Amino acid sequence: AARAGYRAAFTASPHSSIVIDQFLRADKLELLRLVFATEGAFEERHYLWEWTDQGRSEKTVSAAAWHAARESQRAFVERVFTAPRPEYRLGRGSLTHYKFLELLSSPELMDFLDSVSGIRPPTMSGLLMRIMVGGHYIPPHSDFQPIRDLCAVFYASGGWQEGLGGRFRHCGPGSALTPVEPLANRLLLFEPRREARHDVEPIAQFDSAWERWSYSIWFGQPNAPPAT
């Protein structure tokens, strides 16, 4: 009955999107948080906009190049997971993280996605773990790619309150914004359509204690089709 309810909500949503709360067992969530808090190594990355024949995209640059660029050229800044710290390669959080990746690629999860959205991807095709802090944001963009069937964001950090920012926001129709709060143990699922855009609102700089911990997940074909 719960899956049928999610399926109806996904179909009715103008953004082809649903929110599933309490996605993992609480003990598993607490172990995943160890990766963000202590066990994982995160690298700060800076992005500038570049314009090509295919449109606008972002490119990784040094921190010095990002700070030297004009405001209109700056895309965003984020901290990206690179690997477990050497002393935590077999840590409880790191092992749980790898089991989570196994779950996200499993046929059982693909069946679950089909049951709640009507879309059954072949597998998980990509994943990015992010930490965002005060002043960080992600500008409006589309996650559309021909090889992607579904996208998801899983939130691991707790303590979010109104006014901290960091909400995912569906853009449109028109100038409308539909926010999704980054609540702990919440899975946001949406279909990546070419015309569907979203952003992450700036995180308030006055509160340096709160951090936005998330997994960005893409489901679809594991590899891009060969060029023809």
Side-chain angles (χ1 to χ4, degrees), residues 111-137:
D111 290 341
F112 174 80
L113 295 176
D114 186 18
S115 69
V116 300
S117 71
I119 300 171
R120 190 187 194 282
T123 188
M124 181 183 73
S125 57
L127 180 142
L128 191 65
M129 292 172 65
R130 290 187 173 106
I131 293 178
M132 298 177 66
V133 299
H136 286 187
Y137 66 95

mmCIF file with all atom_site columns, all heavy atoms in Angstrom, residues 111-137:
data_model
loop_
_atom_site.group_PDB
_atom_site.id
_atom_site.type_symbol
_atom_site.label_atom_id
_atom_site.label_alt_id
_atom_site.label_comp_id
_atom_site.label_asym_id
_atom_site.label_entity_id
_atom_site.label_seq_id
_atom_site.pdbx_PDB_ins_code
_atom_site.Cartn_x
_atom_site.Cartn_y
_atom_site.Cartn_z
_atom_site.occupancy
_atom_site.B_iso_or_equiv
_atom_site.pdbx_formal_charge
_atom_site.auth_seq_id
_atom_site.auth_comp_id
_atom_site.auth_asym_id
_atom_site.auth_atom_id
_atom_site.pdbx_PDB_model_num
ATOM 1   N N   . ASP A 1 111 ? 13.911 -3.035 -8.529  1.00 0.00 ? 111 ASP A N   1
ATOM 2   C CA  . ASP A 1 111 ? 12.498 -3.424 -8.447  1.00 0.00 ? 111 ASP A CA  1
ATOM 3   C C   . ASP A 1 111 ? 11.720 -2.442 -7.575  1.00 0.00 ? 111 ASP A C   1
ATOM 4   O O   . ASP A 1 111 ? 10.574 -2.079 -7.887  1.00 0.00 ? 111 ASP A O   1
ATOM 5   C CB  . ASP A 1 111 ? 12.375 -4.834 -7.864  1.00 0.00 ? 111 ASP A CB  1
ATOM 6   C CG  . ASP A 1 111 ? 12.878 -5.913 -8.812  1.00 0.00 ? 111 ASP A CG  1
ATOM 7   O OD1 . ASP A 1 111 ? 12.988 -5.642 -10.029 1.00 0.00 ? 111 ASP A OD1 1
ATOM 8   O OD2 . ASP A 1 111 ? 13.161 -7.024 -8.324  1.00 0.00 ? 111 ASP A OD2 1
ATOM 9   N N   . PHE A 1 112 ? 12.338 -2.012 -6.468  1.00 0.00 ? 112 PHE A N   1
ATOM 10  C CA  . PHE A 1 112 ? 11.685 -1.037 -5.590  1.00 0.00 ? 112 PHE A CA  1
ATOM 11  C C   . PHE A 1 112 ? 11.448 0.279  -6.320  1.00 0.00 ? 112 PHE A C   1
ATOM 12  O O   . PHE A 1 112 ? 10.360 0.862  -6.241  1.00 0.00 ? 112 PHE A O   1
ATOM 13  C CB  . PHE A 1 112 ? 12.539 -0.799 -4.345  1.00 0.00 ? 112 PHE A CB  1
ATOM 14  C CG  . PHE A 1 112 ? 12.030 0.297  -3.457  1.00 0.00 ? 112 PHE A CG  1
ATOM 15  C CD1 . PHE A 1 112 ? 10.984 0.074  -2.582  1.00 0.00 ? 112 PHE A CD1 1
ATOM 16  C CD2 . PHE A 1 112 ? 12.592 1.568  -3.504  1.00 0.00 ? 112 PHE A CD2 1
ATOM 17  C CE1 . PHE A 1 112 ? 10.508 1.098  -1.767  1.00 0.00 ? 112 PHE A CE1 1
ATOM 18  C CE2 . PHE A 1 112 ? 12.124 2.584  -2.697  1.00 0.00 ? 112 PHE A CE2 1
ATOM 19  C CZ  . PHE A 1 112 ? 11.080 2.348  -1.819  1.00 0.00 ? 112 PHE A CZ  1
ATOM 20  N N   . LEU A 1 113 ? 12.444 0.754  -7.059  1.00 0.00 ? 113 LEU A N   1
ATOM 21  C CA  . LEU A 1 113 ? 12.286 2.005  -7.806  1.00 0.00 ? 113 LEU A CA  1
ATOM 22  C C   . LEU A 1 113 ? 11.166 1.892  -8.825  1.00 0.00 ? 113 LEU A C   1
ATOM 23  O O   . LEU A 1 113 ? 10.385 2.829  -9.024  1.00 0.00 ? 113 LEU A O   1
ATOM 24  C CB  . LEU A 1 113 ? 13.603 2.365  -8.494  1.00 0.00 ? 113 LEU A CB  1
ATOM 25  C CG  . LEU A 1 113 ? 14.786 2.701  -7.566  1.00 0.00 ? 113 LEU A CG  1
ATOM 26  C CD1 . LEU A 1 113 ? 16.050 2.933  -8.386  1.00 0.00 ? 113 LEU A CD1 1
ATOM 27  C CD2 . LEU A 1 113 ? 14.478 3.912  -6.703  1.00 0.00 ? 113 LEU A CD2 1
ATOM 28  N N   . ASP A 1 114 ? 11.079 0.753  -9.466  1.00 0.00 ? 114 ASP A N   1
ATOM 29  C CA  . ASP A 1 114 ? 10.000 0.517  -10.430 1.00 0.00 ? 114 ASP A CA  1
ATOM 30  C C   . ASP A 1 114 ? 8.647  0.592  -9.739  1.00 0.00 ? 114 ASP A C   1
ATOM 31  O O   . ASP A 1 114 ? 7.692  1.188  -10.255 1.00 0.00 ? 114 ASP A O   1
ATOM 32  C CB  . ASP A 1 114 ? 10.207 -0.847 -11.084 1.00 0.00 ? 114 ASP A CB  1
ATOM 33  C CG  . ASP A 1 114 ? 9.215  -1.128 -12.197 1.00 0.00 ? 114 ASP A CG  1
ATOM 34  O OD1 . ASP A 1 114 ? 8.573  -0.181 -12.710 1.00 0.00 ? 114 ASP A OD1 1
ATOM 35  O OD2 . ASP A 1 114 ? 9.061  -2.304 -12.571 1.00 0.00 ? 114 ASP A OD2 1
ATOM 36  N N   . SER A 1 115 ? 8.567  0.017  -8.538  1.00 0.00 ? 115 SER A N   1
ATOM 37  C CA  . SER A 1 115 ? 7.276  -0.037 -7.850  1.00 0.00 ? 115 SER A CA  1
ATOM 38  C C   . SER A 1 115 ? 6.808  1.337  -7.385  1.00 0.00 ? 115 SER A C   1
ATOM 39  O O   . SER A 1 115 ? 5.605  1.585  -7.289  1.00 0.00 ? 115 SER A O   1
ATOM 40  C CB  . SER A 1 115 ? 7.362  -0.985 -6.648  1.00 0.00 ? 115 SER A CB  1
ATOM 41  O OG  . SER A 1 115 ? 8.184  -0.451 -5.624  1.00 0.00 ? 115 SER A OG  1
ATOM 42  N N   . VAL A 1 116 ? 7.743  2.266  -7.090  1.00 0.00 ? 116 VAL A N   1
ATOM 43  C CA  . VAL A 1 116 ? 7.330  3.577  -6.585  1.00 0.00 ? 116 VAL A CA  1
ATOM 44  C C   . VAL A 1 116 ? 7.313  4.662  -7.654  1.00 0.00 ? 116 VAL A C   1
ATOM 45  O O   . VAL A 1 116 ? 6.767  5.745  -7.423  1.00 0.00 ? 116 VAL A O   1
ATOM 46  C CB  . VAL A 1 116 ? 8.225  4.028  -5.408  1.00 0.00 ? 116 VAL A CB  1
ATOM 47  C CG1 . VAL A 1 116 ? 8.143  3.038  -4.260  1.00 0.00 ? 116 VAL A CG1 1
ATOM 48  C CG2 . VAL A 1 116 ? 9.663  4.235  -5.852  1.00 0.00 ? 116 VAL A CG2 1
ATOM 49  N N   . SER A 1 117 ? 7.912  4.386  -8.827  1.00 0.00 ? 117 SER A N   1
ATOM 50  C CA  . SER A 1 117 ? 7.972  5.422  -9.869  1.00 0.00 ? 117 SER A CA  1
ATOM 51  C C   . SER A 1 117 ? 7.469  4.972  -11.231 1.00 0.00 ? 117 SER A C   1
ATOM 52  O O   . SER A 1 117 ? 7.190  5.809  -12.097 1.00 0.00 ? 117 SER A O   1
ATOM 53  C CB  . SER A 1 117 ? 9.413  5.916  -10.030 1.00 0.00 ? 117 SER A CB  1
ATOM 54  O OG  . SER A 1 117 ? 10.215 4.925  -10.650 1.00 0.00 ? 117 SER A OG  1
ATOM 55  N N   . GLY A 1 118 ? 7.394  3.656  -11.447 1.00 0.00 ? 118 GLY A N   1
ATOM 56  C CA  . GLY A 1 118 ? 7.044  3.160  -12.768 1.00 0.00 ? 118 GLY A CA  1
ATOM 57  C C   . GLY A 1 118 ? 8.227  3.120  -13.720 1.00 0.00 ? 118 GLY A C   1
ATOM 58  O O   . GLY A 1 118 ? 8.062  2.835  -14.906 1.00 0.00 ? 118 GLY A O   1
ATOM 59  N N   . ILE A 1 119 ? 9.413  3.411  -13.214 1.00 0.00 ? 119 ILE A N   1
ATOM 60  C CA  . ILE A 1 119 ? 10.635 3.408  -14.022 1.00 0.00 ? 119 ILE A CA  1
ATOM 61  C C   . ILE A 1 119 ? 11.607 2.419  -13.389 1.00 0.00 ? 119 ILE A C   1
ATOM 62  O O   . ILE A 1 119 ? 11.910 2.519  -12.193 1.00 0.00 ? 119 ILE A O   1
ATOM 63  C CB  . ILE A 1 119 ? 11.275 4.807  -14.081 1.00 0.00 ? 119 ILE A CB  1
ATOM 64  C CG1 . ILE A 1 119 ? 10.303 5.818  -14.693 1.00 0.00 ? 119 ILE A CG1 1
ATOM 65  C CG2 . ILE A 1 119 ? 12.587 4.777  -14.863 1.00 0.00 ? 119 ILE A CG2 1
ATOM 66  C CD1 . ILE A 1 119 ? 10.770 7.257  -14.584 1.00 0.00 ? 119 ILE A CD1 1
ATOM 67  N N   . ARG A 1 120 ? 12.099 1.459  -14.193 1.00 0.00 ? 120 ARG A N   1
ATOM 68  C CA  . ARG A 1 120 ? 13.063 0.489  -13.661 1.00 0.00 ? 120 ARG A CA  1
ATOM 69  C C   . ARG A 1 120 ? 14.409 0.670  -14.360 1.00 0.00 ? 120 ARG A C   1
ATOM 70  O O   . ARG A 1 120 ? 14.600 0.214  -15.480 1.00 0.00 ? 120 ARG A O   1
ATOM 71  C CB  . ARG A 1 120 ? 12.592 -0.950 -13.852 1.00 0.00 ? 120 ARG A CB  1
ATOM 72  C CG  . ARG A 1 120 ? 13.457 -1.948 -13.087 1.00 0.00 ? 120 ARG A CG  1
ATOM 73  C CD  . ARG A 1 120 ? 13.122 -3.383 -13.385 1.00 0.00 ? 120 ARG A CD  1
ATOM 74  N NE  . ARG A 1 120 ? 13.734 -4.263 -12.407 1.00 0.00 ? 120 ARG A NE  1
ATOM 75  C CZ  . ARG A 1 120 ? 15.025 -4.615 -12.397 1.00 0.00 ? 120 ARG A CZ  1
ATOM 76  N NH1 . ARG A 1 120 ? 15.840 -4.131 -13.332 1.00 0.00 ? 120 ARG A NH1 1
ATOM 77  N NH2 . ARG A 1 120 ? 15.503 -5.437 -11.474 1.00 0.00 ? 120 ARG A NH2 1
ATOM 78  N N   . PRO A 1 121 ? 15.357 1.325  -13.698 1.00 0.00 ? 121 PRO A N   1
ATOM 79  C CA  . PRO A 1 121 ? 16.678 1.489  -14.312 1.00 0.00 ? 121 PRO A CA  1
ATOM 80  C C   . PRO A 1 121 ? 17.431 0.157  -14.308 1.00 0.00 ? 121 PRO A C   1
ATOM 81  O O   . PRO A 1 121 ? 17.155 -0.725 -13.491 1.00 0.00 ? 121 PRO A O   1
ATOM 82  C CB  . PRO A 1 121 ? 17.372 2.503  -13.396 1.00 0.00 ? 121 PRO A CB  1
ATOM 83  C CG  . PRO A 1 121 ? 16.321 2.995  -12.449 1.00 0.00 ? 121 PRO A CG  1
ATOM 84  C CD  . PRO A 1 121 ? 15.265 1.956  -12.382 1.00 0.00 ? 121 PRO A CD  1
ATOM 85  N N   . PRO A 1 122 ? 18.429 0.012  -15.187 1.00 0.00 ? 122 PRO A N   1
ATOM 86  C CA  . PRO A 1 122 ? 19.254 -1.198 -15.150 1.00 0.00 ? 122 PRO A CA  1
ATOM 87  C C   . PRO A 1 122 ? 20.097 -1.299 -13.880 1.00 0.00 ? 122 PRO A C   1
ATOM 88  O O   . PRO A 1 122 ? 20.244 -2.376 -13.308 1.00 0.00 ? 122 PRO A O   1
ATOM 89  C CB  . PRO A 1 122 ? 20.151 -1.066 -16.389 1.00 0.00 ? 122 PRO A CB  1
ATOM 90  C CG  . PRO A 1 122 ? 19.462 -0.094 -17.280 1.00 0.00 ? 122 PRO A CG  1
ATOM 91  C CD  . PRO A 1 122 ? 18.735 0.842  -16.362 1.00 0.00 ? 122 PRO A CD  1
ATOM 92  N N   . THR A 1 123 ? 20.650 -0.163 -13.412 1.00 0.00 ? 123 THR A N   1
ATOM 93  C CA  . THR A 1 123 ? 21.530 -0.190 -12.254 1.00 0.00 ? 123 THR A CA  1
ATOM 94  C C   . THR A 1 123 ? 21.825 1.226  -11.793 1.00 0.00 ? 123 THR A C   1
ATOM 95  O O   . THR A 1 123 ? 21.375 2.199  -12.411 1.00 0.00 ? 123 THR A O   1
ATOM 96  C CB  . THR A 1 123 ? 22.863 -0.905 -12.596 1.00 0.00 ? 123 THR A CB  1
ATOM 97  O OG1 . THR A 1 123 ? 23.645 -1.086 -11.404 1.00 0.00 ? 123 THR A OG1 1
ATOM 98  C CG2 . THR A 1 123 ? 23.666 -0.091 -13.610 1.00 0.00 ? 123 THR A CG2 1
ATOM 99  N N   . MET A 1 124 ? 22.577 1.371  -10.721 1.00 0.00 ? 124 MET A N   1
ATOM 100 C CA  . MET A 1 124 ? 23.119 2.668  -10.339 1.00 0.00 ? 124 MET A CA  1
ATOM 101 C C   . MET A 1 124 ? 24.256 3.000  -11.295 1.00 0.00 ? 124 MET A C   1
ATOM 102 O O   . MET A 1 124 ? 25.176 2.202  -11.480 1.00 0.00 ? 124 MET A O   1
ATOM 103 C CB  . MET A 1 124 ? 23.640 2.648  -8.904  1.00 0.00 ? 124 MET A CB  1
ATOM 104 C CG  . MET A 1 124 ? 24.204 3.988  -8.439  1.00 0.00 ? 124 MET A CG  1
ATOM 105 S SD  . MET A 1 124 ? 24.900 3.933  -6.773  1.00 0.00 ? 124 MET A SD  1
ATOM 106 C CE  . MET A 1 124 ? 26.415 3.005  -7.062  1.00 0.00 ? 124 MET A CE  1
ATOM 107 N N   . SER A 1 125 ? 24.216 4.180  -11.875 1.00 0.00 ? 125 SER A N   1
ATOM 108 C CA  . SER A 1 125 ? 25.229 4.551  -12.875 1.00 0.00 ? 125 SER A CA  1
ATOM 109 C C   . SER A 1 125 ? 26.234 5.578  -12.372 1.00 0.00 ? 125 SER A C   1
ATOM 110 O O   . SER A 1 125 ? 27.247 5.817  -13.023 1.00 0.00 ? 125 SER A O   1
ATOM 111 C CB  . SER A 1 125 ? 24.547 5.083  -14.137 1.00 0.00 ? 125 SER A CB  1
ATOM 112 O OG  . SER A 1 125 ? 23.706 6.180  -13.838 1.00 0.00 ? 125 SER A OG  1
ATOM 113 N N   . GLY A 1 126 ? 25.980 6.188  -11.227 1.00 0.00 ? 126 GLY A N   1
ATOM 114 C CA  . GLY A 1 126 ? 26.911 7.179  -10.703 1.00 0.00 ? 126 GLY A CA  1
ATOM 115 C C   . GLY A 1 126 ? 26.508 7.614  -9.307  1.00 0.00 ? 126 GLY A C   1
ATOM 116 O O   . GLY A 1 126 ? 25.342 7.494  -8.910  1.00 0.00 ? 126 GLY A O   1
ATOM 117 N N   . LEU A 1 127 ? 27.492 8.102  -8.554  1.00 0.00 ? 127 LEU A N   1
ATOM 118 C CA  . LEU A 1 127 ? 27.235 8.538  -7.179  1.00 0.00 ? 127 LEU A CA  1
ATOM 119 C C   . LEU A 1 127 ? 28.290 9.556  -6.770  1.00 0.00 ? 127 LEU A C   1
ATOM 120 O O   . LEU A 1 127 ? 29.455 9.449  -7.147  1.00 0.00 ? 127 LEU A O   1
ATOM 121 C CB  . LEU A 1 127 ? 27.259 7.335  -6.235  1.00 0.00 ? 127 LEU A CB  1
ATOM 122 C CG  . LEU A 1 127 ? 27.015 7.612  -4.745  1.00 0.00 ? 127 LEU A CG  1
ATOM 123 C CD1 . LEU A 1 127 ? 26.174 6.511  -4.126  1.00 0.00 ? 127 LEU A CD1 1
ATOM 124 C CD2 . LEU A 1 127 ? 28.346 7.726  -3.998  1.00 0.00 ? 127 LEU A CD2 1
ATOM 125 N N   . LEU A 1 128 ? 27.847 10.548 -5.992  1.00 0.00 ? 128 LEU A N   1
ATOM 126 C CA  . LEU A 1 128 ? 28.741 11.581 -5.487  1.00 0.00 ? 128 LEU A CA  1
ATOM 127 C C   . LEU A 1 128 ? 28.334 11.908 -4.058  1.00 0.00 ? 128 LEU A C   1
ATOM 128 O O   . LEU A 1 128 ? 27.168 12.217 -3.799  1.00 0.00 ? 128 LEU A O   1
ATOM 129 C CB  . LEU A 1 128 ? 28.661 12.828 -6.364  1.00 0.00 ? 128 LEU A CB  1
ATOM 130 C CG  . LEU A 1 128 ? 29.699 13.924 -6.144  1.00 0.00 ? 128 LEU A CG  1
ATOM 131 C CD1 . LEU A 1 128 ? 31.101 13.427 -6.497  1.00 0.00 ? 128 LEU A CD1 1
ATOM 132 C CD2 . LEU A 1 128 ? 29.359 15.144 -6.996  1.00 0.00 ? 128 LEU A CD2 1
ATOM 133 N N   . MET A 1 129 ? 29.289 11.841 -3.132  1.00 0.00 ? 129 MET A N   1
ATOM 134 C CA  . MET A 1 129 ? 29.040 12.235 -1.745  1.00 0.00 ? 129 MET A CA  1
ATOM 135 C C   . MET A 1 129 ? 29.551 13.654 -1.553  1.00 0.00 ? 129 MET A C   1
ATOM 136 O O   . MET A 1 129 ? 30.707 13.950 -1.880  1.00 0.00 ? 129 MET A O   1
ATOM 137 C CB  . MET A 1 129 ? 29.751 11.287 -0.780  1.00 0.00 ? 129 MET A CB  1
ATOM 138 C CG  . MET A 1 129 ? 29.189 9.898  -0.759  1.00 0.00 ? 129 MET A CG  1
ATOM 139 S SD  . MET A 1 129 ? 30.241 8.798  0.241   1.00 0.00 ? 129 MET A SD  1
ATOM 140 C CE  . MET A 1 129 ? 30.053 9.521  1.880   1.00 0.00 ? 129 MET A CE  1
ATOM 141 N N   . ARG A 1 130 ? 28.703 14.516 -1.002  1.00 0.00 ? 130 ARG A N   1
ATOM 142 C CA  . ARG A 1 130 ? 29.047 15.930 -0.858  1.00 0.00 ? 130 ARG A CA  1
ATOM 143 C C   . ARG A 1 130 ? 28.898 16.392 0.579   1.00 0.00 ? 130 ARG A C   1
ATOM 144 O O   . ARG A 1 130 ? 27.997 15.968 1.297   1.00 0.00 ? 130 ARG A O   1
ATOM 145 C CB  . ARG A 1 130 ? 28.123 16.805 -1.704  1.00 0.00 ? 130 ARG A CB  1
ATOM 146 C CG  . ARG A 1 130 ? 28.280 16.724 -3.196  1.00 0.00 ? 130 ARG A CG  1
ATOM 147 C CD  . ARG A 1 130 ? 27.397 17.787 -3.823  1.00 0.00 ? 130 ARG A CD  1
ATOM 148 N NE  . ARG A 1 130 ? 27.596 17.917 -5.259  1.00 0.00 ? 130 ARG A NE  1
ATOM 149 C CZ  . ARG A 1 130 ? 26.733 17.482 -6.172  1.00 0.00 ? 130 ARG A CZ  1
ATOM 150 N NH1 . ARG A 1 130 ? 25.629 16.882 -5.784  1.00 0.00 ? 130 ARG A NH1 1
ATOM 151 N NH2 . ARG A 1 130 ? 26.973 17.670 -7.456  1.00 0.00 ? 130 ARG A NH2 1
ATOM 152 N N   . ILE A 1 131 ? 29.767 17.316 0.959   1.00 0.00 ? 131 ILE A N   1
ATOM 153 C CA  . ILE A 1 131 ? 29.571 18.131 2.157   1.00 0.00 ? 131 ILE A CA  1
ATOM 154 C C   . ILE A 1 131 ? 29.484 19.574 1.686   1.00 0.00 ? 131 ILE A C   1
ATOM 155 O O   . ILE A 1 131 ? 30.371 20.061 0.986   1.00 0.00 ? 131 ILE A O   1
ATOM 156 C CB  . ILE A 1 131 ? 30.724 17.976 3.163   1.00 0.00 ? 131 ILE A CB  1
ATOM 157 C CG1 . ILE A 1 131 ? 30.743 16.570 3.756   1.00 0.00 ? 131 ILE A CG1 1
ATOM 158 C CG2 . ILE A 1 131 ? 30.593 19.003 4.284   1.00 0.00 ? 131 ILE A CG2 1
ATOM 159 C CD1 . ILE A 1 131 ? 31.899 16.327 4.726   1.00 0.00 ? 131 ILE A CD1 1
ATOM 160 N N   . MET A 1 132 ? 28.411 20.262 2.057   1.00 0.00 ? 132 MET A N   1
ATOM 161 C CA  . MET A 1 132 ? 28.251 21.677 1.746   1.00 0.00 ? 132 MET A CA  1
ATOM 162 C C   . MET A 1 132 ? 28.138 22.434 3.061   1.00 0.00 ? 132 MET A C   1
ATOM 163 O O   . MET A 1 132 ? 27.473 21.979 3.997   1.00 0.00 ? 132 MET A O   1
ATOM 164 C CB  . MET A 1 132 ? 27.021 21.900 0.863   1.00 0.00 ? 132 MET A CB  1
ATOM 165 C CG  . MET A 1 132 ? 27.111 21.192 -0.486  1.00 0.00 ? 132 MET A CG  1
ATOM 166 S SD  . MET A 1 132 ? 25.616 21.366 -1.511  1.00 0.00 ? 132 MET A SD  1
ATOM 167 C CE  . MET A 1 132 ? 25.648 23.129 -1.847  1.00 0.00 ? 132 MET A CE  1
ATOM 168 N N   . VAL A 1 133 ? 28.802 23.588 3.128   1.00 0.00 ? 133 VAL A N   1
ATOM 169 C CA  . VAL A 1 133 ? 28.843 24.381 4.360   1.00 0.00 ? 133 VAL A CA  1
ATOM 170 C C   . VAL A 1 133 ? 28.391 25.808 4.050   1.00 0.00 ? 133 VAL A C   1
ATOM 171 O O   . VAL A 1 133 ? 27.992 26.116 2.922   1.00 0.00 ? 133 VAL A O   1
ATOM 172 C CB  . VAL A 1 133 ? 30.265 24.364 4.963   1.00 0.00 ? 133 VAL A CB  1
ATOM 173 C CG1 . VAL A 1 133 ? 30.682 22.951 5.313   1.00 0.00 ? 133 VAL A CG1 1
ATOM 174 C CG2 . VAL A 1 133 ? 31.276 24.992 4.008   1.00 0.00 ? 133 VAL A CG2 1
ATOM 175 N N   . GLY A 1 134 ? 28.474 26.683 5.051   1.00 0.00 ? 134 GLY A N   1
ATOM 176 C CA  . GLY A 1 134 ? 27.997 28.052 4.907   1.00 0.00 ? 134 GLY A CA  1
ATOM 177 C C   . GLY A 1 134 ? 28.522 28.755 3.670   1.00 0.00 ? 134 GLY A C   1
ATOM 178 O O   . GLY A 1 134 ? 29.725 28.774 3.421   1.00 0.00 ? 134 GLY A O   1
ATOM 179 N N   . GLY A 1 135 ? 27.606 29.304 2.866   1.00 0.00 ? 135 GLY A N   1
ATOM 180 C CA  . GLY A 1 135 ? 27.970 29.998 1.644   1.00 0.00 ? 135 GLY A CA  1
ATOM 181 C C   . GLY A 1 135 ? 27.946 29.126 0.407   1.00 0.00 ? 135 GLY A C   1
ATOM 182 O O   . GLY A 1 135 ? 27.912 29.644 -0.716  1.00 0.00 ? 135 GLY A O   1
ATOM 183 N N   . HIS A 1 136 ? 27.961 27.795 0.571   1.00 0.00 ? 136 HIS A N   1
ATOM 184 C CA  . HIS A 1 136 ? 27.915 26.903 -0.585  1.00 0.00 ? 136 HIS A CA  1
ATOM 185 C C   . HIS A 1 136 ? 26.500 26.858 -1.171  1.00 0.00 ? 136 HIS A C   1
ATOM 186 O O   . HIS A 1 136 ? 25.503 26.994 -0.457  1.00 0.00 ? 136 HIS A O   1
ATOM 187 C CB  . HIS A 1 136 ? 28.332 25.482 -0.188  1.00 0.00 ? 136 HIS A CB  1
ATOM 188 C CG  . HIS A 1 136 ? 29.804 25.320 0.047   1.00 0.00 ? 136 HIS A CG  1
ATOM 189 N ND1 . HIS A 1 136 ? 30.397 24.099 0.276   1.00 0.00 ? 136 HIS A ND1 1
ATOM 190 C CD2 . HIS A 1 136 ? 30.807 26.231 0.085   1.00 0.00 ? 136 HIS A CD2 1
ATOM 191 C CE1 . HIS A 1 136 ? 31.702 24.258 0.448   1.00 0.00 ? 136 HIS A CE1 1
ATOM 192 N NE2 . HIS A 1 136 ? 31.968 25.549 0.341   1.00 0.00 ? 136 HIS A NE2 1
ATOM 193 N N   . TYR A 1 137 ? 26.414 26.627 -2.457  1.00 0.00 ? 137 TYR A N   1
ATOM 194 C CA  . TYR A 1 137 ? 25.136 26.516 -3.158  1.00 0.00 ? 137 TYR A CA  1
ATOM 195 C C   . TYR A 1 137 ? 25.397 25.789 -4.474  1.00 0.00 ? 137 TYR A C   1
ATOM 196 O O   . TYR A 1 137 ? 26.552 25.603 -4.894  1.00 0.00 ? 137 TYR A O   1
ATOM 197 C CB  . TYR A 1 137 ? 24.536 27.898 -3.441  1.00 0.00 ? 137 TYR A CB  1
ATOM 198 C CG  . TYR A 1 137 ? 25.374 28.711 -4.414  1.00 0.00 ? 137 TYR A CG  1
ATOM 199 C CD1 . TYR A 1 137 ? 25.085 28.710 -5.776  1.00 0.00 ? 137 TYR A CD1 1
ATOM 200 C CD2 . TYR A 1 137 ? 26.469 29.464 -3.973  1.00 0.00 ? 137 TYR A CD2 1
ATOM 201 C CE1 . TYR A 1 137 ? 25.887 29.426 -6.672  1.00 0.00 ? 137 TYR A CE1 1
ATOM 202 C CE2 . TYR A 1 137 ? 27.259 30.172 -4.851  1.00 0.00 ? 137 TYR A CE2 1
ATOM 203 C CZ  . TYR A 1 137 ? 26.963 30.153 -6.203  1.00 0.00 ? 137 TYR A CZ  1
ATOM 204 O OH  . TYR A 1 137 ? 27.749 30.849 -7.081  1.00 0.00 ? 137 TYR A OH  1
#
